[in-house]
Amino acid sequence: MATSLKSEIAPHLAFETRALHAGAAPDPVTGAILTPIYQSTTYVQEAVGVHKGYTYSRTANPTVAALEGRLAALEGAEHAACFATGLAATAALALSLLDAGERAIVSDVVYGGTVRLFQQVLARFSVQAEFVDTSSASHLASALQRPARLVFVETPANPTLKLTDIALVSRLAREAGAVVAVDSTLLTPALQRPLELGADVVLHSTTKFIEGHNATLGGALITRSAELHEKFAFLRNTLGAIQSPFNAWLTLQGVKTLPLRMERHAANALRVARFLEGHPRVVRLLYPGLPSFPQHELARKQQGSGGAILAFEVEGGVEAGIRAMNRVRLCALAENLGAAETIITHPASMTHAAVPAEQRLATGITDGLIRLSVGLEEPDDIIEDLRQALAA
Ligand SMILES: *Cc1c(COP(=O)(O)O)cnc(C)c1O
């Protein structure tokens, strides 16, 4: 749908500038600098079939279209479709591409809701999902011996931060004739741009860093393919899963500071990770920005920094981990990540409770694992809070 910033200008602007300007221009009627919230269900037609590109807000909405223009510009794409939530985007992706009897290969560590969608809903319609360690080229190559329509990768994977080499997966999947979609929620285009590495589709839960303020739910599917975008827009209209204009408007404001926020989030996370790594009660720490991370080299190559999420386990197992989480004062004990506020989460009982226990444990999501989304507070304050929470 038409967006007001001339798309031939946007690609030449720097990322920081696109985060502020792409997709939006002063309102032509009033001069309002912010794209208005077009809180309208319908659009009056001049004559039957004569309209300005908008007909009904389940199909398309001007505020949502402004956000789509901006997100597409940030990923280096032509097309974006925004959804009510990240999972609505995942559902639209899967339903667009997979017919009954067809098969998807999905990273073995993914957001818990993604597992639930494939195992508890799509399986009922004979769509098969095989959960594969996509960080291993040999595991992926052998999974691709049998026909697969979709390869769905999450990197870094929530919550263990396992990485998948996007360029490698894209090459192998393309040879096998599969579409590659990357859930890039944990890094955002400020730190990772999967389309530039060969992927076909980028998926975001904009709920997280893109909006960034714990204020909205939202999702997006971004692609350079007009054909794929048409499928996504069709499914969105059919399912009724479009994002609300108000959420799109808040996200348009949040995304303006995305480059600044991601830089600070990651710098703070590195400080906190170093503290945890040196803490005598921390027995396992996962942070891609530290040399101790098994895939640190891939992180350096593929992402702009270590990102803002880390995971750790404390000595004494589940009980000790839960005790520490119950003792935080500044960090918020909650489900969600990617907000200005630091959030501490227990994946086994919260975000990944829908994943069968054996599947969780086999992929390192132990009952004692603690996930930390490092926020924008002064890092010494976060560290002080963790220090007192970890004190025996
Ligand atoms: C939160 C999340 C989702 C789901 O997004 P919602 O907006 O909560 O529906 C998908 N993928 C990842 C990696 C997430 O963190």
Side-chain angles (χ1 to χ4, degrees):
M1 210 52 59
T3 52
S4 32
L5 187 79
K6 290 169 221 73
S7 56
E8 69 270 21
I9 297 173
H12 305 293
L13 297 172
F15 186 85
E16 290 76 4
T17 312
R18 279 180 273 148
L20 286 163
H21 293 284
D27 177 51
V29 178
T30 62
I33 192 164
L34 299 186
T35 301
I37 305 168
Y38 286 92
Q39 192 67 46
S40 183
T41 52
T42 194
Y43 305 83
V44 177
Q45 309 198 358
E46 286 152 44
V48 175
V50 181
H51 55 75
K52 295 177 164 65
Y54 296 96
T55 53
Y56 189 62
S57 278
R58 180 174 12 83
T59 316
N61 172 278
T63 315
V64 179
L67 177 61
E68 290 165 352
R70 186 161 307 166
L71 295 182
L74 293 180
E75 290 286 0
E78 283 75 35
H79 310 282
C82 287
F83 291 83
T85 65
L87 266 178
T90 311
L93 171 78
L95 291 170
S96 294
L97 293 174
L98 297 160
D99 289 337
E102 287 189 323
R103 181 166 162 268
I105 293 170
V106 182
S107 293
D108 61 351
V109 184
V110 282
Y111 179 69
T114 305
V115 175
R116 183 174 51 204
L117 172 69
F118 277 101
Q119 287 188 333
Q120 297 188 36
V121 180
L122 294 169
R124 286 172 36 219
F125 301 92
S126 302
V127 167
Q128 306 161 42
E130 186 180 340
F131 293 89
V132 172
D133 181 359
T134 53
S135 74
S136 152
S138 61
H139 282 91
L140 181 68
S142 79
L144 281 167
Q145 306 258 295
R146 289 191 294 130
R149 178 93 175 89
L150 171 68
V151 176
F152 185 93
V153 166
E154 183 174 305
T155 184
N158 185 352
T160 62
L161 290 325
K162 180 155 74 172
L163 306 185
T164 290
D165 185 330
I166 297 170
L168 181 65
V169 166
S170 300
R171 188 164 54 72
L172 293 175
R174 178 147 309 143
E175 283 165 11
V179 171
V180 177
V182 176
D183 183 338
S184 193
T185 296
L186 264 55
L187 289 177
T188 82
L191 297 177
Q192 171 173 280
R193 290 192 279 279
L195 301 180
E196 292 173 2
L197 300 171
D200 300 295
V201 183
V202 179
L203 182 142
H204 284 294
S205 167
T206 62
T207 309
K208 313 295 167 58
F209 294 103
I210 288 184
E211 190 272 320
H213 294 75
N214 264 332
T216 66
L217 296 177
L221 291 174
I222 302 162
T223 179
R224 291 172 172 169
S225 160
E227 190 191 335
L228 287 175
H229 176 68
E230 208 155 298
K231 287 180 194 289
F232 302 154
F234 172 80
L235 244 297
R236 181 178 68 174
N237 190 35
T238 302
L239 296 175
I242 196 170
Q243 190 166 112
S244 77
F246 182 53
N247 282 4
W249 186 86
L250 283 169
T251 306
L252 273 168
Q253 311 323 317
V255 80
K256 289 175 181 174
T257 55
L258 181 69
L260 286 168
R261 285 188 287 109
M262 291 315 288
E263 202 179 314
R264 183 62 71 88
H265 273 297
N268 289 359
L270 183 60
R271 289 267 302 277
V272 174
R274 286 193 175 127
F275 161 75
L276 289 171
E277 185 163 56
H279 195 286
R281 294 201 57 224
V282 173
V283 294
R284 178 175 173 227
L285 171 70
L286 300 166
Y287 180 63
L290 285 180
S292 59
F293 189 74
Q295 296 170 292
H296 181 60
E297 271 319 302
L298 178 58
R300 284 169 51 118
K301 183 179 89 173
Q302 177 164 281
Q303 34 188 88
S305 74
I309 311 295
L310 52 85
F312 63 102
E313 264 181 79
V314 298
E315 172 191 65
V318 192
E319 291 77 28
I322 288 175
R323 216 175 309 129
M325 282 182 275
N326 286 340
R327 287 176 63 150
V328 293
R329 296 180 192 141
L330 179 66
C331 303
L333 178 64
E335 299 198 24
N336 202 15
L337 57 85
E341 298 87 356
T342 294
I343 296 176
I344 195 165
T345 304
H346 183 221
S349 72
M350 298 179 182
T351 53
H352 290 70
V355 181
E358 325 80 73
Q359 196 175 339
R360 262 197 295 111
L361 296 173
T363 54
I365 310 171
T366 57
D367 289 340
L369 193 74
I370 300 170
R371 187 185 76 193
L372 192 71
S373 171
V374 179
L376 300 174
E377 299 91 347
E378 159 57 44
D380 284 342
D381 290 335
I382 303 168
I383 288 169
E384 220 27 70
D385 190 35
L386 293 170
R387 195 195 309 278
Q388 66 79 26
L390 288 169

